Amino acid sequence: MATLIVLLGGKATAHPLGEGETVLGRHPACTIQLDSNTVSRRHAQIIKDGQSYFVEDLGSGNGTFLNGKQIPGRTQLNHDDRIKLGPVLLRFQTEGSSVLDTPANKAPVPRPKALAETSSEVDFVDDEEGDSCIEATLVGGIGSPFGMLEVQPEAKLKAVLEITRSLAGTVDVKAICPKILDTLFSIFPQADRGCILLKDSETDKLVPRAMKHRRQDEDASVKLSRTILNKVLNEKTGILSADAANDEQFSASESISSLAIHSMMCVPMLGLDGEPMGVINIDTQNPISQFRNEDLDLLMAVGSQAALSYDSARLMVTFMEKKKQDGEMDIARNVQRALLPSELPKAPGYEFFASYDAAQAVGGDYFDAMMIDKEKICLSFGDVAGKGVPGALIMARMSSCVQNTMQFVHEVGPAVEAINHHMCAASVEGRFVTYVLIIIDITTHEMVLTNAGHMSPIIRRADGSLFEFGDETVGVPIGVVDGYPFDVLNFKLEPGDLAVLFTDGVSEAMNSKGDLYTLEHLREFIKKGPLKADELGRALLQDVRRHANGFPQNDDITIMTFGRNPI
């Protein structure tokens, strides 16, 4: 009969495996109950099939590991395989083997890879027999980040004040951790070594940020137990190990037995949200001056205050960086506004209006209007794919390209081809511009335009009917296909005709209920709106804002209206 050895709390318990399924988990109904919060209610099962045994995960939250690797499905077991369910270690043994093989009779376990990228002074090692190196624990929670204040309150208050005073005014995040260790060595004079490890924001792994060594003539390397670190982080627990080198429980713990540590403490650094951002570990090699339970309680309080100081400094740095970025974005906003026309053309019998509202400090919408000779007005209108800073950079390039091109080319077709060629020459993948270029002859009232992937202008005739160019007249956006043959369209503006250009930030404006403004609503508003172009533009912008009713816009909103005044 095969046997499953459960290593928990420094004890090894043998469980004979019978026929069929042996369910492992936290629930009392499981065949083998494992009392740990990180073990699922029904975590895994051992299955006997003929003469073979298999382990299978039952959809647990933390997974099931076999010999250090997470199993994807049902996996066959071999003699002396190691199974890990959360912090619980198990060993599978078959018939004919000793039920409790002692570590002395086993081959040495190879050193595991590092838990995180570290310097040569810190090493992470596994404890083969679980959390056997723990003598005392102290739990800290969100409601009591400084431990139990009724225990030695004077000493605790003095220590908290001391570390607060030593860290006061420090905003250099890199300098805080060494200062914390300096203060801890004054609070705990028996400490020989100490280190602070913080979670990396990207990988969520522990990375050493500061180390201190009192005995310069001895080995300065620090070895940290994975078991202790996991328990400290997962359970927000402070851990004390007293006289570790001589404790019988440590016979299988490489991280303790290979280095003469007579006493050590490890506590979590609880942030403002009550979650651990890292750990503080200090130890002593002096067998006379061992750490005691009250020392652990004191370190728990000091560690939490140190974490709050670190969090405050980090938030201050973030605030200063944000303030600097806001200042730079204000400058960028002013630069972008300067790229837009300060005033629109003035022509007898015509009215023009344009408005631009970026969803962020800067945006990717674009418009321009200029006289290219005494009889022709050029209107340029576009929407960059994307918003914010990337969209603003493309918008600036587009503005410069149009300005330079229209100085020399006064025909719509060749001008659009030149603009497209220039934007394609140094295009950024995924960044294109939907664009409309219009030239109006104010003597003949002929409007010539090209549409490069944008919505058709909506033209309201004098009789109140609407006209839009067909989808077949819409070409590809600017910056996508070099040399694309764009269609050139013509439309004669009669007295009372008005045209509306808009970006999708208008039709897709959203209110708090998730309702969009929609093209249908836009068409109805244009049909019934004011008769003059500038009045229609202002009224449309106001109606879009009315629909949003204060809900933050998720895209840039740009409107341009123009047309002939009624006779």
Side-chain angles (χ1 to χ4, degrees):
M1 178 182 296
T3 305
L4 191 66
I5 311 299
V6 179
L7 308 170
L8 185 63
K11 298 180 180 180
T13 306
H15 295 271
L17 297 175
E19 300 291 334
E21 302 171 350
T22 300
V23 180
L24 312 171
R26 194 174 72 248
H27 196 277
C30 293
T31 311
I32 300 177
Q33 183 184 6
L34 304 175
D35 187 14
S36 173
N37 291 333
T38 56
V39 174
S40 299
R41 294 168 64 85
R42 287 173 52 87
H43 196 112
Q45 64 181 1
I46 307 295
I47 305 169
K48 183 179 181 183
D49 187 358
Q51 298 301 315
S52 300
Y53 288 85
F54 300 84
V55 61
E56 181 179 14
D57 187 81
L58 297 179
S60 64
N62 293 324
T64 299
F65 293 80
L66 181 63
N67 298 324
K69 296 182 179 180
Q70 187 170 1
I71 61 173
R74 181 177 295 189
T75 305
Q76 186 170 356
L77 290 170
N78 297 311
H79 171 64
D80 218 23
D81 275 349
R82 289 175 297 158
I83 304 170
K84 187 175 182 181
L85 312 179
V88 181
L89 294 175
L90 307 97
R91 186 180 300 157
F92 175 77
Q93 293 185 331
T94 56
E95 283 185 304
S97 65
S98 174
V99 173
L100 292 176
D101 286 339
T102 61
N105 297 329
K106 293 176 59 61
V109 179
R111 292 285 294 275
K113 294 183 179 180
L115 180 67
E117 293 296 325
T118 67
S119 71
S120 58
E121 297 182 19
V122 175
D123 191 14
F124 297 90
V125 293
D126 280 323
D127 295 328
E128 178 69 13
E129 299 301 327
D131 54 357
S132 59
C133 57
I134 299 170
E135 179 183 275
T137 63
L138 176 67
V139 178
I142 297 175
S144 56
F146 302 109
M148 297 173 290
L149 285 173
E150 63 272 17
V151 180
Q152 51 173 353
E154 293 182 1
K156 186 170 297 182
L157 179 59
K158 179 181 178 181
V160 170
L161 290 175
E162 184 175 347
I163 199 163
T164 301
R165 183 172 56 251
S166 67
L167 300 178
T170 304
V171 294
D172 184 357
V173 175
K174 293 182 180 179
I176 282 186
C177 289
K179 281 191 174 183
I180 293 173
L181 284 182
D182 291 340
T183 307
L184 288 178
F185 270 50
S186 65
I187 296 174
F188 301 101
Q190 69 269 47
D192 288 321
R193 289 173 303 194
C195 64
I196 295 178
L197 297 91
L198 299 178
K199 286 185 177 181
D200 184 88
S201 58
E202 296 182 358
T203 63
D204 207 36
K205 293 183 178 180
L206 289 175
V207 179
R209 296 301 185 192
M211 287 168 283
K212 187 176 178 66
H213 182 60
R214 195 187 298 274
R215 300 187 179 189
Q216 300 297 331
D217 57 333
E218 296 185 8
D219 183 12
S221 62
V222 177
K223 293 187 178 182
L224 300 178
S225 163
R226 289 178 188 264
T227 302
I228 289 179
L229 290 176
N230 290 335
K231 188 176 184 66
V232 168
L233 293 175
N234 295 335
E235 302 180 15
K236 305 175 189 177
T237 300
I239 291 179
L240 166 65
S241 162
D243 200 15
N246 298 322
D247 196 323
E248 294 179 356
Q249 299 182 56
F250 301 142
S251 59
S253 178
E254 179 188 2
S255 64
I256 298 295
S257 60
S258 63
L259 194 62
I261 301 174
H262 290 278
S263 187
M264 58 81 67
M265 294 187 295
C266 187
V267 299
M269 296 177 66
L270 301 179
L272 295 173
D273 58 355
E275 294 299 319
M277 65 173 66
V279 299
I280 298 176
N281 186 92
I282 61 174
D283 64 58
T284 176
Q285 295 175 310
N286 188 338
I288 299 177
S289 302
Q290 297 181 359
F291 295 123
R292 296 172 297 176
N293 289 346
E294 51 265 34
D295 294 323
L296 178 63
D297 183 42
L298 186 60
L299 181 60
M300 195 76 177
V302 174
S304 295
Q305 178 59 37
L308 295 178
S309 298
Y310 181 87
D311 238 356
S312 298
R314 182 176 54 82
L315 291 175
M316 177 59 72
V317 171
T318 301
F319 170 76
M320 297 302 294
E321 291 177 350
K322 178 65 166 56
K323 191 174 181 180
K324 180 181 177 182
Q325 291 174 358
D326 289 345
E328 293 174 348
M329 291 306 295
D330 286 339
I331 297 173
R333 181 191 295 110
N334 294 332
V335 170
Q336 185 176 48
R337 288 289 179 180
L339 296 176
L340 302 175
S342 58
E343 60 180 22
L344 299 176
K346 294 180 176 59
Y350 280 84
E351 292 286 345
F352 297 88
F353 170 83
S355 69
Y356 175 77
D357 289 298
Q360 301 176 18
V362 292
D365 283 3
Y366 156 76
F367 75 88
D368 204 349
M370 67 196 86
M371 298 291 299
I372 56 177
D373 59 34
K374 294 181 179 181
E375 299 178 347
K376 292 182 179 180
I377 297 174
C378 174
L379 303 177
S380 182
F381 193 89
D383 184 359
V384 178
K387 49 185 176 292
V389 174
L393 293 173
I394 302 297
M395 175 269 196
R397 186 159 172 261
M398 184 73 179
S399 173
S400 175
C401 180
V402 172
Q403 286 279 348
N404 291 331
T405 300
M406 299 313 297
Q407 289 184 21
F408 306 101
V409 184
H410 296 170
E411 299 295 329
V412 166
V416 169
E417 291 177 4
I419 293 169
N420 183 53
H421 174 73
H422 181 81
M423 296 297 290
C424 286
S427 62
V428 179
E429 184 178 357
R431 300 292 177 182
F432 54 84
V433 185
T434 63
Y435 180 66
V436 176
L437 180 66
I438 300 174
I439 293 180
I440 303 173
D441 190 321
I442 59 176
T443 59
T444 64
H445 309 297
E446 289 288 338
M447 180 174 71
V448 183
L449 71 141
T450 291
N451 189 337
H454 201 77
M455 290 82 70
S456 169
I458 300 177
I459 301 174
R460 189 185 70 188
R461 299 181 188 272
D463 61 4
S465 62
L466 299 183
F467 171 80
E468 297 178 51
F469 295 96
D471 293 341
E472 70 279 1
T473 64
V474 179
V476 300
I478 298 296
V480 175
V481 179
D482 194 7
Y484 182 85
F486 294 95
D487 291 338
V488 177
L489 310 173
N490 294 272
F491 186 91
K492 185 170 183 178
L493 291 170
E494 301 293 343
D497 286 353
L498 296 178
V500 179
L501 290 167
F502 58 95
T503 58
D504 52 11
V506 175
S507 57
E508 296 176 4
M510 184 185 299
N511 60 21
S512 59
K513 298 179 181 179
D515 300 326
L516 300 180
Y517 190 77
T518 72
L519 275 172
E520 291 74 15
H521 185 85
L522 175 62
R523 293 187 180 104
E524 286 299 316
F525 185 87
I526 294 173
K527 185 183 294 185
K528 301 176 182 178
L531 300 180
K532 295 185 66 175
D534 58 341
E535 295 176 359
L536 176 63
R538 292 186 180 91
L540 175 58
L541 178 60
Q542 184 178 0
D543 192 61
V544 172
R545 289 174 175 168
R546 177 203 57 77
H547 172 80
N549 194 26
F551 190 75
Q553 64 187 80
N554 56 10
D555 201 355
D556 306 326
I557 296 176
T558 305
I559 298 171
M560 177 182 280
T561 57
F562 63 92
R564 293 183 66 184
N565 294 332
I567 296 177

